[in-house]
């Protein structure tokens, strides 16, 4: 059970949303199925990474129930530029996720939850956020961590 009122409200909005399937256009499918979440300054202190893990788990369970017999991928990531937690679904038949950057896929939802809650939402000044890369790594290409799970 989620102990945060804000995250419960997000769950009520998102869990039963209709899923759009377009096996011919991955971008249309991804954009139509995308949800994004970002708390207000007042809501932020009440949100914990464990709430986000539980929230995403419940959304996945709802999608699995609604999409029985469909072959989809649920994916979730931290959009640092927008300071948002985002998730979407695409058909597995596309054979990829709809990103133009290099990805690091993970089955560890806590990685994304920690990143968004403690590495972004709780930082007073986002411009002062600690770099995840050392100075020597600055020239390295951007790699986006994405939680991915099949939703058959």
């Amino acid at each position: 059970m989620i102990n945060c009122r804000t995250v419960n409200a997000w769950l009520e909005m998102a869990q039963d949303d209709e899923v759009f399937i377009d096996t011919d256009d991955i971008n249309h499918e991804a954009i139509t199925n995308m949800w994004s979440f970002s708390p207000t300054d007042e809501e932020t202190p009440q949100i914990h990474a464990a709430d986000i893990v539980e929230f995403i788990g419940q959304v996945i369970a709802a999608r699995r129930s609604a999409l029985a017999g469909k072959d989809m991928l649920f994916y979730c990531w931290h959009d640092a530029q927008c300071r948002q937690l985002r998730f979407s679904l695409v058909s597995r038949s596309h054979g990829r996720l709809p990103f133009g950057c290099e990805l690091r896929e993970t089955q560890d939802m806590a990685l994304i939850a920690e990143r968004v809650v403690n590495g972004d939402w709780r930082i007073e000044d986002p411009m002062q956020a600690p770099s995840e890369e050392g100075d020597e790594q600055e020239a390295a290409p951007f790699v986006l961590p994405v939680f991915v799970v099949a939703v058959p």
Side-chain angles (χ1 to χ4, degrees), residues 44 83 117-130:
T44 299
R83 300 190 75 201
V117 172
N118 297 320
D120 185 352
W121 293 346
R122 293 191 180 209
I123 294 175
E124 298 279 332
D125 180 1
M127 298 306 292
Q128 299 301 316

Side-chain angles (χ1 to χ4, degrees), residues 54-106:
E54 180 66 23
F55 163 63
I56 294 299
Q58 288 189 34
V59 170
I60 291 168
R63 294 295 192 264
R64 280 194 170 124
S65 176
L67 293 169
K70 308 289 188 217
D71 204 12
M72 306 284 288
L73 289 175
F74 175 95
Y75 58 103
C76 180
W77 73 103
H78 170 224
D79 186 328
Q81 290 180 322
C82 298
R83 300 190 75 201
Q84 295 176 338
L85 172 70
R86 292 186 175 198
F87 69 76
S88 190
L89 289 112
V90 293
S91 299
R92 287 184 71 180
S93 63
H94 296 298
R96 64 181 181 88
L97 294 177
F99 292 95
C101 63
E102 187 177 341
L103 303 178
R104 179 171 43 105
E105 293 184 16
T106 180

Side-chain angles (χ1 to χ4, degrees), residues 43-56:
E43 294 168 332
T44 299
Q46 284 76 46
I47 299 174
H48 301 281
D51 298 322
I52 299 301
V53 170
E54 180 66 23
F55 163 63
I56 294 299

